[in-house]
Amino acid sequence: MKKQFIVIGLGRFGSSLTKTLVEAGHEVLAVDKDISLVQEMAEIATHAIQADSTDESVLKELGAGNFSHGIVAIGENLQASILTTLLLKEMQIPKVTVKARNIMHGKVLTKIGADQIVYPERDMGIRLGRQLSSDNLIDYIELSPHYHLVEMKAPKAMNGLTLQQLDIRAKYGCNVMAIRSDEEINISPRAEDTIQTGDTLLLIGSSEEINELERKYE
Ligand code: ADP
């Protein structure tokens, strides 16, 4: 379903987010106080407008309250980020996502009603750290603070064994959701399906469970 987003702050984060949302078929009003960034986005976003988001009357003129989702991607200026979030929540936007610089910034944003807080640098650092620290891990997505979706190269020691023989769920607690081999992906793997070297496994589990599985097959 098509959604209406207002993205405020068109730095590296806000502009790449805008592009992705438009490519996915959504409507995006892109806002920045810097005219050159607005011009860069004019071709991409549904609408691009130069405005100072800390000015309540300007946000009202833009009809900010009619959007289903607001994104505050102001990085450096904490005051502007906090004030913009507060105004968007006062205008009753159902969901407001805010990019935070650090935990203190995130705490303030929670207090004033931000619905989702993201820490892109921290999260990317964690994700990359996990990928680099393991030979088998390809990607790592946090589903909740405890559960992760992990893409993992099938370790050599699994070659030729069935899921039943490996018994991953009983031994480690995590679930094999899919097995990818070359271009094919098996999204409902059965107990008798065999793992081959070169396959990729998609696993869901807690970080402890996944760490344990990785250590076992290092
Ligand atoms: P990134 O790390 O994503 O590049 P930046 O902090 O560099 O983030 O970018 C934030 C953007 O937010 C800048 O382009 C800046 O002009 C914009 N911005 C900051 N304050 C306001 C404001 N009050 N109204 C609109 N845009 C703002």
Side-chain angles (χ1 to χ4, degrees):
M1 213 179 73
K2 207 175 200 181
K3 294 180 188 166
Q4 287 80 35
F5 293 89
I6 176 166
V7 176
I8 299 175
L10 304 175
R12 293 158 301 176
F13 182 79
S15 57
S16 54
L17 182 71
T18 299
K19 274 185 210 142
T20 308
L21 290 172
V22 171
E23 279 164 13
H26 301 295
E27 279 175 25
V28 181
L29 170 62
V31 180
D32 202 295
K33 60 180 184 178
D34 180 338
I35 185 67
S36 58
L37 294 174
V38 172
Q39 280 164 349
E40 275 176 38
M41 270 300 118
E43 301 266 297
I44 295 157
T46 319
H47 300 285
I49 290 177
Q50 181 198 19
D52 180 349
S53 61
T54 60
D55 184 337
E56 189 173 6
S57 57
V58 168
L59 284 183
K60 285 204 170 127
E61 259 174 55
L62 294 177
N66 299 323
F67 287 82
S68 54
H69 199 147
I71 292 146
V72 183
I74 298 174
E76 291 301 313
N77 186 341
L78 290 190
Q79 195 178 327
S81 158
I82 292 164
L83 193 52
T84 303
T85 306
L86 187 66
L87 291 173
L88 293 183
K89 276 322 286 183
E90 276 181 1
M91 295 173 93
Q92 318 269 326
I93 294 190
K95 188 164 183 194
V96 176
T97 300
V98 192
K99 169 181 129 158
R101 270 178 65 182
N102 53 44
I103 297 292
M104 279 317 290
H105 183 195
K107 271 193 182 170
V108 176
L109 294 168
T110 307
K111 288 261 184 246
I112 59 173
D115 301 282
Q116 183 184 25
I117 295 159
V118 293
Y119 303 88
E121 285 90 359
R122 182 199 70 176
D123 293 350
M124 196 59 215
I126 293 174
R127 211 162 146 183
L128 185 62
R130 295 214 178 245
Q131 278 175 34
L132 298 178
S133 63
S134 157
D135 290 337
N136 291 323
L137 219 67
I138 300 166
D139 205 358
Y140 183 96
I141 294 165
E142 193 176 286
L143 299 175
S144 77
H146 299 293
Y147 286 94
H148 308 282
L149 177 67
V150 166
E151 208 181 346
M152 183 182 179
K153 263 194 279 174
K156 281 202 186 77
M158 288 187 183
N159 188 29
L161 297 176
T162 63
L163 288 180
Q164 190 171 23
Q165 288 166 325
L166 289 165
D167 209 12
I168 290 175
R169 189 178 329 162
K171 283 190 187 152
Y172 307 98
C174 36
N175 275 295
V176 179
M177 308 304 295
I179 304 169
R180 195 172 58 220
S181 38
D182 296 324
E183 292 304 295
E184 273 178 43
I185 179 155
N186 172 357
I187 54 163
S188 50
R190 294 161 197 259
E192 62 274 18
D193 288 343
T194 309
I195 309 278
Q196 309 290 347
T197 311
D199 286 355
T200 302
L201 308 181
L202 270 168
L203 295 156
I204 289 188
S206 69
S207 43
E208 293 81 26
E209 290 162 357
I210 288 166
N211 284 344
E212 206 181 320
L213 175 76
E214 268 196 275
R215 268 198 300 272
K216 175 75 206 308
Y217 283 98
E218 244 169 4

